[in-house]
Amino acid sequence: MAATTTPAASISAGAGSNGGAEDRVLATAQQIVKSLNTPKEVREDMMLIFSSFDNRLSNIKTVMTDQNDALLARLEAAETIIHRWDGGNDSSRHSSSSSGNHRSSSFSLSFDGSPEEATEFLSAVDEIISLLVDLSSENKPDMVDRADSALQMAMSLLEDEFRRILIRNTVPLDAERLYGSMRRVTLSFADGDVTEDFENFGLVANGDGDGCDLWVDLINPTAVEDLKEIAERMIRAGYEKECVQVYSTVRRDALDECLMILDVEKLSIEEVHKIDWKSMDEKMKKWIQAMKITVRVLLAGEKKLCDEIFNGSETSKEVCFNETTKSCVMQLLNFGEAVAIGKRSSEKLFRILDMYDALANVSQTLEVMVTDDFVCSETKGVLEALGNAARGTFVEFENNVRNETSKKPTTNGEVHPMIRYVMNYMKLIVDYAATLNSLLENDESDGLSRDDDTEEMSPLAKRMLMLITCLESNLEEKSKLYEDGGLQYVFLMNNIHYVVQKVKDSELGKLLGDDWVRKRRGQIRQYSTGYLRASWSKVLAALRDGSMGGASSGSPSYRQRSNSSSSASKMALKERFKGFNASFEEIYRLQTAWKVPDPQLREELRISIQEKVIMAYRAFFGRNKSQLEGGRHAGKYIKYTPDDLESYLPDLFEGNQMVIHPRRKSS
């Protein structure tokens, strides 16, 4: 700056100098004239006036003419190359594009396999861009117009070539191979031995082992450098918008096709709500897979591609990626929203939870990649809506359990279908404990007694406890539908035992705790005692000696009785045997039809009958059989030995009604 303080100083500073000094004086004079921004003729006149003051400026007109000629020569050379590519080679370019010669350089395809011509064309574009920079300080409108025209032609050609490269080198998505690779990501990443598998399947993975930075080659890798070369020149030439538009249009269509390959249809909310549940279930499963693959694989790959191709422009990277992926992401989100606002029913809960988890697991990754405010807002909104739908569907299930009031009992006291459904449903629910605990965290859990030790329980555990408490109350009501008191207790035993087993054999056991299980087992024992009392009290009453005082035929008191008294006692004894036989046969007929599905519970009941009833009969039989043996029709009354009765016990609770056929012959 100090050397060019004033024009006079600049010129005088070069007086008496040779060579380089003359060049500096000439350059300074030219700069002064340019800075005045006057018409060409005026500037030339001013330079001639300068030359009259200093003989070192005497050849200035010649220099100016030479510089002008050099600019013109550069322009004409670049124009010739651009026009040549736009004109005569157009047909050959198209024929070579379809010839199947898929080399890395798409330019080589367009120039009959000559990468030198591609390089020459790009150099011509670089020259035009450089010329326009140089001409920006010159007052040469004709030359600027010619350069602009050539640049527009070059950009049009590059835009077409950019589009052709993108379309021609798009790699079709292999969904089956991708599903297999994603499963290996889920199941095997912890083993640290799957990198080779990814490469074999066309997948690339980072070394972090989180499964989030995986991608397939969306575009033939050999074409990426050509795309980058074109994008860099279009951006430098001010055609960034056109370049981004071409890229996002082609790649948006490619991503939409990927969703079709993944079996994700573009459906309206109304269309989604009309789908039957079986078909909907399949579509929800495919959506879950598609969401994982789209974000972890396709969008990750698209992000990488944008970063490589638009490496020189942060704005282009961002805009291009957002515009490319918006349609694809919104299609997935729209289906999620349609599901979230659809009619709630219990069977949908687990698929909705799967959808919620799938979106929650990728939402952070999606938010990092996508900077479009609308898409980010929609993602959060759909995630919240799916959470609300899951919570609402769970509440709907709770209400269905509370309000289940069917009046049709199972015919044989077996486990009620409602209990099977609810317990299997609850077993599945606990697999989503982490998700449901977060969704239910702020919900109130009404219906639990204040005496229950629930302070330390998770939100889901409280809801599970409340549900089972409802089930138990429901079972008590359903047991009253049976007229037979013994069958009431068998029904309660069967169902509570089923509940306990489902709790004990699943994660429900951890939620409800060992103390809960112990209490219910005690409850089952109480039901067993109640069963014996309800079913066998009458039978056992017939075995008690009562007024006979339990005397045997050999006792002194018996010998002292009169013959009439002895006869009456024998008649009473016969009636007691007869009454016992009839009661046992009736119980046998009824309770062989009853069903106790669990083998252990069934055997425990038989043992309790053997200990309470058969043992009592064995004692009664031993005390009194001698009084009737040898008499007329003794076999009519002493029909069964204790061993006979014990042999009938395995027939009880099998669900197949039977009638006793006495094994003793009448005497």
Side-chain angles (χ1 to χ4, degrees):
M1 293 293 289
T4 57
T5 304
T6 64
S10 301
I11 296 173
S12 61
S17 303
N18 57 12
E22 290 183 2
D23 292 341
R24 287 194 297 274
V25 171
L26 181 61
T28 302
Q30 288 176 315
Q31 186 61 38
I32 293 171
V33 172
K34 287 179 183 178
S35 67
L36 297 176
N37 197 23
T38 56
K40 178 182 176 182
E41 294 78 7
V42 175
R43 283 188 291 157
E44 290 177 351
D45 290 342
M46 291 179 66
M47 292 302 293
L48 289 174
I49 293 171
F50 276 135
S51 66
S52 66
F53 288 106
D54 193 320
N55 59 3
R56 288 173 295 181
L57 298 175
S58 59
N59 63 343
I60 194 167
K61 189 170 184 178
T62 302
V63 172
M64 290 174 63
T65 302
D66 291 344
Q67 289 178 338
N68 188 66
D69 290 344
L71 289 172
L72 186 59
R74 288 168 60 193
L75 176 58
E76 288 175 344
E79 280 180 322
T80 300
I81 295 170
I82 292 169
H83 288 157
R84 185 171 71 238
W85 200 51
D86 181 54
N89 284 351
D90 190 62
S91 60
S92 64
R93 180 169 66 253
H94 285 284
S95 63
S96 63
S97 296
S98 59
S99 66
N101 183 22
H102 290 275
R103 287 189 48 193
S104 63
S105 173
S106 57
F107 286 115
S108 66
L109 290 172
S110 300
F111 285 94
D112 297 323
S114 172
E116 289 78 12
E117 289 187 350
T119 302
E120 182 184 41
F121 180 84
L122 292 177
S123 297
V125 173
D126 291 337
E127 182 72 331
I128 292 291
I129 294 172
S130 178
L131 271 171
L132 282 169
V133 173
D134 293 342
L135 290 170
S136 64
S137 59
E138 299 285 342
N139 188 18
K140 296 180 175 18
D142 292 341
M143 199 177 293
V144 169
D145 288 345
R146 283 180 62 181
D148 275 334
S149 179
L151 184 63
Q152 288 178 20
M153 184 181 298
M155 290 300 106
S156 177
L157 292 169
L158 286 180
E159 182 179 321
D160 290 343
E161 190 64 21
F162 194 69
R163 182 182 293 104
R164 277 193 293 271
I165 295 172
L166 285 169
I167 295 173
R168 189 168 55 235
N169 288 279
T170 294
V171 179
L173 184 68
D174 188 335
E176 289 303 316
R177 188 168 64 179
L178 190 56
Y179 281 138
S181 299
M182 287 296 289
R183 281 192 289 272
R184 274 189 293 282
V185 173
T186 303
L187 298 175
S188 305
F189 236 129
D191 298 336
D193 59 355
V194 294
T195 302
E196 185 176 351
D197 285 339
F198 291 146
E199 293 171 353
N200 290 340
F201 277 85
L203 278 168
V204 183
N206 70 3
D208 297 336
D210 61 2
C212 291
D213 293 328
L214 302 169
W215 58 85
V216 293
D217 288 324
L218 304 177
I219 287 180
N220 190 334
T222 57
V224 173
E225 190 59 34
D226 291 335
L227 292 167
K228 182 179 178 181
E229 292 282 353
I230 296 175
E232 188 269 333
R233 283 163 176 83
M234 290 186 74
I235 291 171
R236 276 201 296 125
Y239 285 75
E240 180 177 4
K241 181 180 178 181
E242 289 79 0
C243 185
V244 167
Q245 185 174 2
V246 169
Y247 181 93
S248 59
T249 299
V250 173
R251 291 305 306 157
R252 180 168 57 242
D253 291 344
L255 288 180
D256 288 345
E257 187 175 340
C258 286
L259 287 186
M260 291 178 62
I261 293 171
L262 294 173
D263 282 337
V264 176
E265 300 177 64
K266 189 172 288 186
L267 300 168
S268 68
I269 291 176
E270 292 76 14
E271 289 172 325
V272 172
H273 291 169
K274 291 177 182 178
I275 300 173
D276 64 272
W277 167 239
K278 185 177 180 181
S279 300
M280 174 65 81
D281 186 47
E282 285 301 312
K283 290 185 184 299
M284 292 167 83
K285 285 193 288 188
K286 288 174 180 176
W287 183 94
I288 290 161
Q289 283 293 335
M291 178 58 76
K292 296 174 184 177
I293 289 172
T294 297
V295 177
R296 293 182 178 180
V297 180
L298 300 181
L299 266 60
E302 203 65 59
K303 179 69 172 173
K304 177 175 177 285
L305 206 54
C306 285
D307 289 349
E308 289 180 353
I309 293 173
F310 297 96
N311 186 45
S313 173
E314 292 298 323
T315 302
S316 295
K317 288 181 192 177
E318 181 179 341
V319 172
C320 208
F321 179 78
N322 286 340
E323 289 301 313
T324 298
T325 58
K326 185 174 184 177
S327 173
C328 171
V329 174
M330 287 306 303
Q331 183 177 336
L332 289 168
L333 293 178
N334 288 340
F335 181 84
E337 181 184 12
V339 170
I341 64 176
K343 184 179 179 181
R344 291 171 183 170
S345 57
S346 298
E347 68 268 16
K348 294 181 182 179
L349 176 60
F350 304 111
R351 285 285 173 253
I352 293 174
L353 285 168
D354 286 336
M355 290 178 67
Y356 177 86
D357 283 341
L359 183 55
N361 289 338
V362 300
S363 60
Q364 188 172 359
T365 302
L366 189 62
E367 192 173 337
V368 170
M369 289 192 291
V370 178
T371 57
D372 185 287
D373 290 340
F374 177 76
V375 174
C376 291
S377 175
E378 285 294 297
T379 301
K380 292 176 181 176
V382 171
L383 183 62
E384 183 179 352
L386 285 171
N388 290 336
R391 183 166 49 247
T393 305
F394 181 77
V395 171
E396 185 83 10
F397 167 69
E398 290 179 315
N399 292 335
N400 289 341
V401 173
R402 289 193 194 97
N403 300 327
E404 202 285 326
T405 56
S406 62
K407 298 297 183 183
K408 185 178 180 181
T410 54
T411 56
N412 51 15
E414 203 176 349
V415 178
H416 197 281
M418 183 267 292
I419 298 298
R420 292 184 186 276
Y421 174 76
V422 171
M423 290 310 301
N424 286 318
Y425 198 93
M426 290 172 68
K427 276 186 67 177
L428 292 174
I429 283 176
V430 295
D431 291 337
Y432 298 87
T435 301
L436 283 169
N437 276 326
S438 66
L439 293 175
L440 299 172
E441 190 171 6
N442 297 320
D443 282 16
E444 293 295 327
S445 299
D446 296 329
L448 286 177
S449 169
R450 293 183 179 274
D451 295 331
D452 288 324
D453 186 16
T454 60
E455 283 301 316
E456 300 301 320
M457 295 180 76
S458 67
L460 181 60
K462 292 177 182 179
R463 303 294 273 266
M464 294 292 97
L465 180 58
M466 185 172 63
L467 268 175
I468 291 181
T469 302
C470 286
L471 275 184
E472 291 173 322
S473 298
N474 196 308
L475 286 172
E476 288 286 348
E477 291 301 313
K478 282 180 169 41
S479 71
K480 296 173 184 176
L481 298 173
Y482 298 99
E483 293 182 3
D484 190 305
L487 188 54
Q488 290 182 12
Y489 286 111
V490 168
F491 172 78
L492 289 169
M493 269 190 290
N494 277 332
N495 283 271
I496 296 300
H497 183 271
Y498 182 85
V499 170
V500 170
Q501 288 302 112
K502 286 294 182 181
V503 169
K504 191 168 69 73
D505 297 340
S506 71
E507 293 298 310
L508 282 167
K510 294 180 181 178
L511 286 180
L512 300 177
D514 294 337
D515 189 52
W516 184 91
V517 173
R518 281 193 296 271
K519 287 180 179 178
R520 268 57 189 182
R521 282 178 172 165
Q523 196 174 3
I524 293 171
R525 288 192 293 271
Q526 290 175 8
Y527 290 146
S528 177
T529 302
Y531 155 76
L532 289 171
R533 185 170 55 251
S535 289
W536 296 97
S537 291
K538 183 179 178 182
V539 177
L540 290 171
L543 301 178
R544 296 190 184 98
D545 287 335
S547 61
M548 292 180 63
S552 67
S553 59
S555 67
S557 61
Y558 181 81
R559 287 194 300 269
Q560 293 172 0
R561 289 175 183 156
S562 64
N563 290 334
S564 61
S565 176
S566 176
S567 177
S569 296
K570 284 185 178 182
M571 283 299 297
L573 189 59
K574 288 178 181 179
E575 289 301 316
R576 292 170 70 192
F577 268 106
K578 186 178 178 180
F580 174 85
N581 295 336
S583 296
F584 188 90
E585 288 168 359
E586 178 64 9
I587 289 174
Y588 180 88
R589 184 184 70 81
L590 291 173
Q591 298 194 11
T592 51
W594 295 359
K595 181 75 172 175
V596 178
D598 184 79
Q600 183 179 347
L601 182 60
R602 187 167 62 241
E603 188 58 29
E604 288 174 356
L605 274 177
R606 290 168 180 166
I607 290 171
S608 68
I609 295 170
Q610 193 272 335
E611 291 175 346
K612 291 286 185 181
V613 180
I614 306 301
M615 291 295 287
Y617 180 76
R618 191 179 296 277
F620 175 81
F621 183 84
R623 288 194 306 268
N624 298 301
K625 69 175 180 176
S626 61
Q627 296 185 47
L628 300 181
E629 282 182 332
R632 294 180 63 188
H633 308 299
K636 181 180 178 181
Y637 305 104
I638 307 177
K639 295 172 68 174
Y640 311 105
T641 68
D643 290 340
D644 288 336
L645 296 182
E646 194 166 343
S647 71
Y648 290 123
L649 295 184
D651 298 333
L652 300 179
F653 314 121
E654 291 290 343
N656 299 308
Q657 192 169 61
M658 300 174 68
V659 177
I660 287 181
H661 298 288
R663 294 167 187 165
R664 286 174 59 89
K665 295 181 180 179
S666 298
S667 56

